[in-house]
Amino acid sequence: MSLKQLCRLTALVLGACCTRAETPAPPRPFGLVVHGGAGVILRADLPAALEAEYRTALQAALDAGYTVLADGGTALDAVLATVCRLEDSPLYNAGRGAVLNADGVCELDAAIMDGRTITAGAIAGVRHIRNPIVLARDVMEKSPHVLLSGAGAEQFATSLGYTLVPNEYFQTERRKAQLQQARDAEAKGRPAAGMPGGLRRQPAAGALVLDERKFGTVGCVALDRAGNLAAGTSTGGMTNKKFGRVGDSPIIGAGTYANNRTCAVSATGHGEYFIRAVVAYDIAARMEYLHRPLAAAAAETIARVGALGGTGGVIALDARGNIAMPFNTPGMYRGCKLSTGEDRIELFEPGR
Amino acid sequence: MSLKQLCRLTALVLGACCTRAETPAPPRPFGLVVHGGAGVILRADLPAALEAEYRTALQAALDAGYTVLADGGTALDAVLATVCRLEDSPLYNAGRGAVLNADGVCELDAAIMDGRTITAGAIAGVRHIRNPIVLARDVMEKSPHVLLSGAGAEQFATSLGYTLVPNEYFQTERRKAQLQQARDAEAKGRPAAGMPGGLRRQPAAGALVLDERKFGTVGCVALDRAGNLAAGTSTGGMTNKKFGRVGDSPIIGAGTYANNRTCAVSATGHGEYFIRAVVAYDIAARMEYLHRPLAAAAAETIARVGALGGTGGVIALDARGNIAMPFNTPGMYRGCKLSTGEDRIELFEPGR
């Protein structure tokens, strides 16, 4: 018998032994993590009834994605189901209920990434797409591109048969009041107290600085039964934003990233810092190159954002079902639902 | 004498010795690297007269940046001087001479990053900014934002006193002919032979795929006498591009990145793959986390792009003056000019 034949025989015997093994493999973990934005989210500021509404909407979004996963669906489909729920909710700054820009219009950004194929799709500055995350996925799957912007992205949607919705669909009274507050504050040369994500003029340089009260982006990361990861993020950006500003949400590597080799990440926060720190990919790189566990990698990256002066947080999930939800703001709307039974929503800092 | 006192005394003596040392410190290296796009650049296809024109324009751009550095200017100013020269040249796909989109219009993207402050500025889809790289720098220095897009970016320019130029300023007869070729090829359902960066319809999925003949983005990375790094990239994108497509050039971490801790990178190639592979930041991460030398890190990242199916290249420079210019296409317009005396332009694969 040649060495080659011996090797083949050994492989056959081993294969047969494995097939006959009685011990079943432990079930693969699956589940998802969601966020609804980070910022100054304090128990004292949030009436109980409103807090209940935020929790209910987050739970419904988690449940929608979890059902997809439990039924054997893909991480990508779960991310889509969860993010669509949050886009449809008027409470969160994505889709319906998004913040208004300086022209009183909602301008929406979104991105999605498939960790299995390392493909991605994103859109920036659309005004008439009911569920931006759905269009981001179509960019990924039905175009050769990753990022489409503005009216061009909407032309692409139309070419696929989308019905455009009027911008008024997204606009809520609450966001109109916030824009007015931001405008009033800007006129007075100071940020409005309690005004989420407004802009004010920086007296020294004549430039604009942000009032970092709250970043209402939504996002989801999911792991399916097949071991595939996906990430998605959707946002209306910042109240009173000007000049076609694009934040980190639709930037692959900054606000959104997924790769089965490492992790899936969705970020929320002061987007400019998250772009400069290449946040989502930095977490993956720390896992791949430094062999850091997910939680340590995510915490280190958020610390780096903090060192630059930025605030916000991320949700992250690896292929083993480990999760991380670090943030350096007083709160972050967040939650997870996992096949291990873990199922929770949190809004404030731990212990507060 | 206590141990502490002994230590202090030793430090003082050593300090005095160092101050009195006669050997001057070796001069800090400085210099810059430039690219004018990667792709199917073959000696056989390039008439000698045209080759000379490409070389002359690259050399003039290198010289402009080098003069800034030699005079003690910053890496940022050198990048600006070099990229502006290439934007002004009708030969390269950036600024004047940029490729035309499907509507017959030039739509320009650019980004710049300062490795000293880890700040960045970028613009996407502008049509009336003579030197997009200059506006990218103004976004970095005069706004709180990183990325501005479309008409909004031009409003920001106007607010700073920019004069908008008509789009015809950018359009050249050569690019109009290329667009016509691309349109004819698209109408016939196949890519035009020799047509740079065109689009064609993919019969199977009804989506669009690229004809990857040549990616004409320009970029520059520089190291100044103070040891600071900077990177800049400017492009017209792809001939016949549709739907507000944005490539990797204005995406911090993908087409452009700089950090004194690691390196400065500018990419050129099939942008969608460069976004998915987070190319520029991946090189920096390999240096920081794996302690890889610049050339190895850059080569490994380009290999990863290739494994995804993408083509293109990067120029990279670290704080010690090491350079790398890897690409996986048949050619890349590239060159460097360093304080060590190295001064060269190359267009083709080594040895061809």
Side-chain angles (χ1 to χ4, degrees), chain A residues 118 144 208 276 282 288 304, chain B residues 118 144 208 276 281 289 304:
Chain A
I118 319 175
L208 298 162
R276 289 164 51 198
D282 188 56
E288 182 172 4
R304 186 170 276 190
Chain B
I118 319 175
L208 297 163
R276 290 164 52 197
Y281 188 69
Y289 301 143
R304 187 170 275 189

Side-chain angles (χ1 to χ4, degrees), chain A residues 53-74:
Chain A
E53 280 187 54
Y54 274 108
R55 286 180 180 274
T56 304
L58 266 190
Q59 190 66 56
L62 268 177
D63 292 346
Y66 191 84
T67 301
V68 170
L69 297 172
D71 290 349
T74 65

Side-chain angles (χ1 to χ4, degrees), chain A residues 54-339:
Chain A
Y54 274 108
R55 286 180 180 274
T56 304
L58 266 190
Q59 190 66 56
L62 268 177
D63 292 346
Y66 191 84
T67 301
V68 170
L69 297 172
D71 290 349
T74 65
L76 213 52
D77 284 338
V79 165
L80 213 74
T82 293
V83 173
C84 278
R85 285 292 185 112
L86 294 172
E87 285 177 344
D88 293 344
S89 161
L91 290 171
Y92 290 95
N93 177 18
R96 184 162 150 69
V99 299
L100 302 175
N101 73 5
D103 297 324
V105 170
C106 293
E107 262 183 343
L108 310 166
D109 305 331
I112 198 162
M113 189 157 182
D114 182 348
R116 184 177 67 82
T117 54
I118 319 175
T119 52
I123 51 169
V126 300
R127 298 175 171 208
H128 305 286
I129 304 297
R130 183 185 292 260
N131 287 108
I133 196 74
V134 174
L135 183 55
R137 182 177 182 168
D138 276 336
V139 171
M140 175 171 75
E141 294 183 342
K142 297 175 184 168
S143 93
H145 302 306
V146 171
L147 176 56
L148 301 182
S149 71
E154 288 169 348
Q155 281 169 22
F156 174 68
T158 306
S159 79
L160 295 179
Y162 278 58
T163 304
L164 301 185
V165 298
N167 198 263
E168 290 69 27
Y169 163 75
F170 303 105
Q171 299 174 21
T172 60
E173 290 309 313
R174 178 170 153 251
R175 299 301 190 188
K176 287 179 188 171
Q178 284 177 349
L179 175 61
Q180 195 51 53
Q181 273 188 295
R183 284 174 172 164
D184 293 348
E186 191 179 44
K188 288 177 191 159
R190 60 173 175 77
M195 175 200 57
L199 285 164
R200 65 181 169 87
R201 199 157 289 275
Q202 190 176 36
L208 298 162
V209 295
L210 306 173
D211 173 28
E212 303 172 34
R213 295 287 296 176
K214 183 175 165 311
F215 311 104
T217 301
V218 310
C220 176
V221 291
L223 170 65
D224 63 30
R225 287 174 182 273
N228 294 313
L229 291 166
T233 312
S234 183
T235 190
M238 303 184 311
T239 297
N240 203 22
K241 69 182 175 185
K242 295 179 180 67
F243 305 136
R245 179 258 185 188
V246 178
D248 64 318
S249 302
I251 307 297
I252 299 305
T256 306
Y257 186 74
N259 190 326
N260 281 0
R261 231 181 2 235
T262 49
C263 59
V265 179
S266 171
T268 172
H270 192 153
E272 280 71 11
Y273 293 90
F274 281 65
I275 293 175
R276 289 164 51 198
V278 200
V279 163
Y281 188 69
D282 188 56
I283 297 171
R286 285 170 189 272
M287 291 184 70
E288 182 172 4
Y289 301 144
L290 292 175
H291 304 293
R292 301 290 288 156
L294 179 84
E300 287 158 8
T301 300
I302 289 299
R304 186 170 276 190
V305 171
L308 283 179
T311 54
V314 296
I315 51 169
L317 177 62
D318 71 16
R320 293 177 186 178
N322 297 306
I323 70 163
M325 307 189 282
F327 53 97
N328 66 4
T329 43
M332 180 165 85
Y333 297 108
R334 63 201 185 279
C336 63
K337 188 163 183 169
L338 306 169
S339 60

Side-chain angles (χ1 to χ4, degrees), chain B:
Chain B
M1 188 185 278
S2 74
L3 180 64
K4 202 167 173 183
Q5 284 171 321
L6 182 66
C7 287
R8 273 197 200 143
L9 187 64
T10 311
L12 275 172
V13 171
L14 284 175
C17 289
C18 291
T19 312
R20 265 189 248 128
E22 295 290 315
T23 330
R28 274 181 186 259
F30 64 91
L32 73 170
V33 191
V34 68
H35 73 76
V40 182
I41 301 160
L42 301 172
R43 200 183 290 275
D45 293 348
L46 200 59
L50 189 56
E51 182 185 332
E53 280 187 54
Y54 274 108
R55 286 181 179 272
T56 303
L58 265 191
Q59 190 65 56
L62 267 178
D63 291 346
Y66 191 84
T67 301
V68 170
L69 297 172
D71 290 350
T74 66
L76 213 52
D77 284 337
V79 165
L80 214 73
T82 293
V83 173
C84 278
R85 285 291 185 111
L86 294 172
E87 285 177 343
D88 293 344
S89 161
L91 290 171
Y92 290 95
N93 177 16
R96 184 162 150 68
V99 299
L100 302 175
N101 73 5
D103 298 325
V105 170
C106 293
E107 263 183 345
L108 310 166
D109 306 332
I112 198 163
M113 189 155 182
D114 181 349
R116 185 177 67 83
T117 55
I118 319 175
T119 53
I123 51 170
V126 300
R127 298 176 171 206
H128 304 285
I129 304 297
R130 183 183 293 261
N131 287 108
I133 196 75
V134 173
L135 183 56
R137 183 178 182 167
D138 277 337
V139 171
M140 175 171 76
E141 294 183 342
K142 297 175 183 169
S143 94
H145 302 306
V146 170
L147 176 57
L148 302 183
S149 70
E154 288 169 347
Q155 282 169 23
F156 174 67
T158 307
S159 79
L160 296 180
Y162 278 56
T163 303
L164 301 185
V165 297
N167 197 263
E168 289 70 26
Y169 163 75
F170 303 105
Q171 299 174 20
T172 59
E173 290 309 312
R174 180 169 151 250
R175 298 303 190 187
K176 286 178 189 173
Q178 284 176 349
L179 175 61
Q180 195 51 54
Q181 274 189 294
R183 283 174 172 164
D184 292 348
E186 191 179 43
K188 288 177 192 160
R190 61 173 173 77
M195 175 199 60
L199 285 164
R200 66 179 170 90
R201 199 156 289 275
Q202 190 177 35
L208 297 163
V209 294
L210 307 174
D211 174 28
E212 303 171 33
R213 295 287 297 174
K214 183 175 166 311
F215 312 104
T217 301
V218 310
C220 176
V221 291
L223 169 65
D224 63 30
R225 287 174 181 273
N228 294 313
L229 291 166
T233 313
S234 183
T235 190
M238 303 185 311
T239 297
N240 203 22
K241 70 182 176 185
K242 296 179 180 69
F243 305 137
R245 179 259 185 186
V246 178
D248 63 317
S249 302
I251 306 298
I252 299 304
T256 306
Y257 186 74
N259 190 325
N260 281 0
R261 229 177 8 230
T262 49
C263 59
V265 179
S266 171
T268 173
H270 193 153
E272 279 71 11
Y273 292 91
F274 281 65
I275 294 175
R276 290 164 52 197
V278 200
V279 163
Y281 188 69
D282 187 57
I283 296 172
R286 285 170 189 271
M287 291 184 70
E288 182 171 5
Y289 301 143
L290 292 176
H291 305 293
R292 299 291 287 155
L294 179 84
E300 286 158 8
T301 300
I302 289 299
R304 187 170 275 189
V305 171
L308 283 179
T311 54
V314 296
I315 51 169
L317 177 62
D318 71 16
R320 294 177 186 178
N322 297 306
I323 70 164
M325 308 189 281
F327 53 96
N328 66 4
T329 42
M332 181 165 85
Y333 297 108
R334 62 201 186 278
C336 64
K337 188 162 183 170
L338 306 169
S339 61
T340 55
E342 194 170 349
D343 185 1
R344 62 188 160 105
I345 302 281
E346 291 180 275
L347 310 190
F348 312 109
E349 277 184 288
R352 291 215 178 176

